[in-house]
Amino acid sequence: MRLNKIITSLMVTSFMLAAEPQQQIADAKAAFQQGDYVKAAEIWQSLAMDGNTMAQFELAKMYSMGQGVEQDALQAAYWLEQAASNSSDFAESARAKKDITDELAARKAQQDTSVIAPAPAPASDDVTVPLVEVPTTAIAAAPTAPELQPAVEVTKKITTPVQATSNPDVIKTQTVSKPKQAELAVLPLVDAKFDSGLREFQRKNYAEAFSHWYPLAESGMADAQFNLAAMYANGYGVSVDAIAAAQWFSAAAEQGMAQAQYHLAVSLANGIGLAQDDALSVFWYRQAAEQQHVLAMYNLGFMYGSGRGVPKDDTSALMWYERAAAQGDIDAQYIVAERYSVGRGAPVNITKAIDWYQKALEQGHIRSGYQLGQYHLQGIGFSQNDNRAFELFSRAAAQGLIDAQREVGISYSLGRGTRGNDAKAVEFLELACGEQDQSACYYLAIHLSEGRGIRTDARRAAELLKLAATAGNRDAQFRLGNLLSQDETASASEAHKWLKLSAEQGNADAQYLVALQLANGTGVKQDDAEAVKWYQRAADQGVLFAQYNLGFMYGAGRGVAQDNEKALYWYSKVAEQGDADAQFNLGSRYETGRGVRQDDKQAVYWYQKAVAQGHQRAVANLGYMYEKGYGVSLDERKAFELYQQSLDAKVPRALTALGLFYKNGRQVKVDDKKAVELFAMAAEQGYANAQYNLGWMYEYGRGVSKDLVKARDLYQKAADQSEPLAQAQLSRLLNP
């Protein structure tokens, strides 16, 4: 049977370096120290899949030592390679490799000094193989052709990575001692029959099988040598003896048996029964691979890919993986697809990647289906198809793939490729979140906070958001920061911390809010220059409010040198997207010529755009343009109507103009009290012309009781703002 397969999903996904989940790391270390290796391995596995370098190093050690997981050096080498590629600390990588090498050496020394007691014959064929990858069925049938094809199903296991030391194209010999004397009774060569030995073996009469095969093996029969090696490897009727197994594999390999060559290569790669020798292992893998031995091809691809026994060569690695894939090896098909998808060993070729993913999927490879689902979802190599993506995710989710469970949950949540179903979304998101999938936890938090498909639970939602945020999920960081910023009981600085973490990972909305906090000094020291930087980043990603505020900062000279041209650029960009405030601001600039050539028609154009969206200040300003005939034909009636519409906005210029309509009886009957009311509203806002007109009403007792003191005070306020009419009136009152 096959044991653990190499995990390759991380080859196609770029993981951002996230903040270390300290609690999980502490739990893993505590479990390891207490001897609970299974729990420690589970935690390290979860963290390693999320791209945590420390976890990848630790998981590599556990696979090498067989602590908490079945010993599997292919897995160990893979995780060590992942960790080394993600870490810039070469000393850390070297220490991890040394830890593994030292521990294996210590174990080997202990084995060499111990006596292996004879093992009883196994009760069934389902036996764990502790030393080499020869399953219980690795027994050759009676030879019917020069090249024997044993009925064998073997693993791909390679142990601890060792640096290449020699050229694999040169046959490197290793002294193999003569096989030890038979420990069971054997028949004379003339009486030994291979078929008879096979029948006895099938009846589990292992001693009888041994008696036939041992003399045949000594005489040079490769099939008997191979089967004798399998008996020593598995302990069938004899003590498990890795050395004897390697010796007999070597004898059969020298005669050209591909299966024996493969097992000899595995023994050399693992240092089991023979001195560990990657270069010689590569030689024997090549001998078997050239005879179309599928697993030899696979492992040869691994050796080239990891640089074991040969210089690292992704092109050669892909070649051998692809040969194994062509023979139908499901894992090789997946790896070949991965390599074509990222351009490892050959230029990126999505067509070939899809072809190999589909071949692997046809054999039931779960992750291949998931990857094809991602291609359909993203429109890579196919027309974008949410429905097909959902189908593929669902198949993989049903087989327990966490990533697929997350995607199915998200699909139900968003109505992506299927009808939205909050209850179903929660069901799948709970499964994936329970396995520490941070994206699933993030979406589950949204459902909990909004009460969709599950009872609202703000506390748990916040916990899950923080879990995902701590692991580096930028959307969770943004949502958590935004949530805290709206909570009056929460710390403003804590909100800023999470928003900035999200902003630093490129979340545009977070960048805008960070800029806003910096501009206002909310939760952080006020810093206009830094605010401008974050507004710029968000504006470049199209955040409307950031673009508007950036225009304001340039126009006001806050945090940056005052620059009307840049202010105009950003206001124009926002106005063109339909923002009423920006349209009003742009109209005002064209009316006054601030930062742009004065142009009444352009002013009217943008005011009208803003008025169409109900912008009250724009209504007031447009009324002024009609009253004066600026940019449009003079139309006092239209102006009066617009002023009336803008009353709620209390725009001083419009209030004053409307007051004059009532004072002078233009478009309406004279109404001094109404005129005074309107002048007063504008004067309270410090509008000089309104102060002058209100003063005039007090001087002459129009709409109010005559009061020269109030009149003089109002004239003074207006004169202080250089209002010429007020200055003249004040001079007349003071110099009668």
Side-chain angles (χ1 to χ4, degrees):
M1 66 177 185
R2 293 193 179 197
L3 302 177
N4 295 331
K5 307 296 190 298
I6 185 167
I7 299 172
T8 56
S9 62
L10 295 184
M11 291 182 181
V12 294
T13 308
S14 296
F15 285 83
M16 294 185 188
L17 184 61
E20 288 187 352
Q22 297 295 340
Q23 186 57 52
Q24 292 183 67
I25 291 173
D27 291 345
K29 289 181 178 179
F32 187 88
Q33 291 169 356
Q34 294 166 11
D36 190 349
Y37 298 139
V38 172
K39 180 179 179 181
E42 288 175 352
I43 298 173
W44 289 133
Q45 180 87 28
S46 174
L47 292 170
M49 291 293 288
D50 286 334
N52 186 288
T53 303
M54 176 189 293
Q56 291 168 344
F57 277 126
E58 294 300 327
L59 192 60
K61 294 178 188 178
M62 298 194 81
Y63 271 115
S64 289
M65 308 305 151
Q67 294 171 317
V69 291
E70 187 172 353
Q71 189 178 33
D72 187 335
L74 193 58
Q75 293 267 26
Y78 173 75
W79 285 117
L80 193 63
E81 180 183 358
Q82 288 297 314
S85 65
N86 290 336
S87 175
S88 59
D89 187 345
F90 297 105
E92 181 183 27
S93 178
R95 282 195 300 273
K97 292 182 179 181
K98 187 175 186 299
D99 287 346
I100 294 173
T101 303
D102 291 349
E103 179 64 21
L104 287 174
R107 290 191 178 196
K108 189 173 186 303
Q110 185 176 5
Q111 290 175 353
D112 290 344
T113 57
S114 62
V115 177
I116 301 176
S124 73
D125 286 348
D126 187 13
V127 180
T128 300
V129 185
L131 294 178
V132 296
E133 295 69 15
V134 185
T136 58
T137 55
I139 298 296
T144 57
E147 174 54 47
L148 178 70
Q149 296 295 331
V152 174
E153 196 173 306
V154 293
T155 69
K156 297 169 179 165
K157 197 171 181 181
I158 299 178
T159 52
T160 313
V162 177
Q163 295 298 317
T165 56
S166 60
N167 187 340
D169 295 321
V170 178
I171 297 179
K172 178 183 176 185
T173 61
Q174 186 175 127
T175 302
V176 179
S177 59
K178 183 179 179 181
K180 67 180 183 180
Q181 293 297 314
E183 56 189 270
L184 299 176
V186 299
L187 295 171
L189 180 59
V190 294
D191 297 327
K193 305 294 182 185
F194 183 87
D195 289 349
S196 297
L198 187 60
R199 283 194 296 272
E200 295 300 335
F201 182 87
Q202 292 168 343
R203 294 169 183 165
K204 299 184 181 179
N205 294 327
Y206 300 126
E208 291 298 321
F210 185 92
S211 70
H212 281 278
W213 286 341
Y214 190 90
L216 292 173
E218 279 200 318
S219 71
M221 179 185 282
D223 302 320
Q225 291 169 342
F226 180 84
N227 284 2
L228 204 59
M231 294 187 75
Y232 277 114
N234 290 283
Y236 292 140
V238 293
S239 302
V240 171
D241 189 334
I243 295 175
Q247 290 167 340
W248 287 115
F249 279 138
S250 179
E254 293 286 357
Q255 296 194 66
M257 178 185 276
Q259 193 78 342
Q261 291 168 342
Y262 166 76
H263 284 290
L264 178 59
V266 171
S267 297
L268 288 160
N270 290 340
I272 299 175
L274 294 168
Q276 200 276 339
D277 191 329
D278 279 344
L280 189 53
S281 173
V282 167
F283 170 78
W284 286 113
Y285 277 138
R286 190 187 304 279
Q287 301 306 303
E290 288 175 351
Q291 296 190 65
Q292 305 306 305
H293 191 286
V294 176
L295 295 180
M297 295 175 185
Y298 182 101
N299 276 10
L300 193 53
F302 175 82
M303 299 297 269
Y304 273 107
S306 58
R308 286 188 53 178
V310 285
K312 186 172 181 177
D313 183 345
D314 283 332
T315 300
S316 294
L318 177 59
M319 178 192 72
W320 287 110
Y321 278 135
E322 197 157 11
R323 289 189 183 182
Q327 296 292 323
D329 186 279
I330 184 173
D331 298 310
Q333 290 171 343
Y334 176 74
I335 290 176
V336 170
E338 296 287 270
R339 286 179 171 249
Y340 274 121
S341 71
V342 298
R344 186 175 176 188
V348 170
N349 190 321
I350 297 301
T351 301
K352 285 189 175 182
I354 289 173
D355 183 54
W356 286 115
Y357 278 138
Q358 288 178 330
K359 283 181 168 62
L361 177 61
E362 288 167 6
Q363 296 194 69
H365 196 280
I366 303 173
R367 186 159 284 277
S368 289
Y370 168 78
Q371 291 301 136
L372 285 171
Q374 286 291 349
Y375 278 12
H376 282 288
L377 183 66
Q378 299 171 43
I380 299 174
F382 301 99
S383 296
Q384 201 275 340
N385 189 329
D386 290 344
N387 293 337
R388 178 57 177 157
F390 178 75
E391 291 172 9
L392 290 164
F393 290 149
S394 296
R395 287 172 57 183
Q399 297 179 69
L401 186 66
I402 296 169
D403 288 343
Q405 291 170 344
R406 176 197 67 234
E407 294 299 331
V408 170
I410 294 173
S411 294
Y412 276 122
S413 178
L414 302 178
R416 187 186 69 188
T418 184
R419 186 186 299 274
N421 187 322
D422 287 336
K424 283 281 189 183
V426 169
E427 175 188 341
F428 282 95
L429 292 172
E430 286 277 20
L431 287 172
C433 182
E435 296 296 331
Q436 305 302 305
D437 185 291
Q438 306 306 330
S439 291
C441 291
Y442 165 70
Y443 277 95
L444 182 59
I446 295 175
H447 280 264
L448 285 163
S449 64
E450 299 176 357
R452 292 171 47 201
I454 191 171
R455 179 174 296 180
T456 301
D457 188 339
R459 182 189 59 79
R460 188 183 175 210
E463 289 175 354
L464 291 177
L465 280 177
K466 192 166 186 177
L467 181 69
T470 301
N473 184 308
R474 74 175 195 177
D475 294 326
Q477 291 167 346
F478 166 71
R479 188 173 282 264
L480 180 60
N482 195 32
L483 187 67
L484 292 172
S485 69
Q486 298 174 43
D487 185 349
E488 294 181 357
T489 66
S491 165
S493 60
E494 181 77 359
H496 177 77
K497 180 189 79 172
W498 289 114
L499 287 171
K500 189 173 182 183
L501 284 171
S502 180
E504 287 170 344
Q505 292 196 67
N507 185 297
D509 292 326
Q511 290 169 345
Y512 164 69
L513 290 182
V514 166
L516 201 60
Q517 289 175 324
L518 286 161
N520 295 331
T522 306
V524 65
K525 183 179 178 181
Q526 200 273 343
D527 189 334
D528 282 343
E530 192 68 15
V532 167
K533 291 179 183 178
W534 286 110
Y535 278 140
Q536 184 74 58
R537 293 185 188 183
D540 288 342
Q541 294 197 68
V543 178
L544 193 73
F545 292 150
Q547 293 172 341
Y548 183 89
N549 283 8
L550 190 56
F552 170 79
M553 299 298 270
Y554 274 111
R558 282 187 56 180
V560 67
Q562 199 272 346
D563 189 329
N564 280 321
E565 286 188 7
K566 287 187 177 179
L568 180 67
Y569 168 80
W570 287 111
Y571 281 136
S572 298
K573 198 172 185 67
V574 177
E576 287 163 1
Q577 295 177 68
D579 184 82
D581 285 329
Q583 290 168 343
F584 166 74
N585 196 299
L586 205 54
S588 177
R589 283 176 170 268
Y590 275 112
E591 181 188 346
T592 60
R594 183 161 51 94
V596 65
R597 183 175 60 81
Q598 199 279 337
D599 188 329
D600 287 336
K601 288 186 177 181
Q602 278 293 304
V604 169
Y605 172 81
W606 287 112
Y607 283 148
Q608 288 174 332
K609 289 279 189 184
V611 166
Q613 299 190 67
H615 195 287
Q616 291 294 291
R617 293 179 67 192
V619 172
N621 281 19
L622 186 59
Y624 180 80
M625 302 301 279
Y626 273 104
E627 182 186 1
K628 302 301 181 182
Y630 295 155
V632 289
S633 299
L634 188 149
D635 188 337
E636 284 196 343
R637 188 63 196 172
K638 181 70 172 177
F640 179 79
E641 291 172 353
L642 289 168
Y643 286 146
Q644 289 278 34
Q645 291 175 31
S646 69
L647 275 175
D648 289 343
K650 296 182 180 180
V651 177
R653 181 166 70 173
L655 292 171
T656 304
L658 194 57
L660 289 171
F661 273 93
Y662 279 103
K663 174 192 170 189
N664 299 325
R666 290 161 48 210
Q667 302 298 321
V668 68
K669 287 183 180 181
V670 172
D671 188 337
D672 287 344
K673 287 187 177 181
K674 184 67 174 177
V676 167
E677 177 189 341
L678 292 166
F679 290 148
M681 290 170 62
E684 287 171 1
Q685 298 181 60
Y687 190 63
N689 190 255
Q691 291 168 339
Y692 159 73
N693 279 294
L694 185 59
W696 192 93
M697 299 297 275
Y698 272 108
E699 181 181 357
Y700 293 101
R702 294 272 302 270
V704 290
S705 298
K706 187 173 181 179
D707 189 331
L708 292 178
V709 174
K710 283 188 176 180
R712 185 185 62 195
D713 289 344
L714 287 164
Y715 287 149
Q716 184 67 60
K717 289 179 180 179
D720 289 343
Q721 296 185 66
S722 302
E723 166 58 54
L725 293 174
Q727 290 172 338
Q729 289 295 86
L730 183 62
S731 177
R732 184 179 56 77
L733 286 177
L734 295 176
N735 301 287

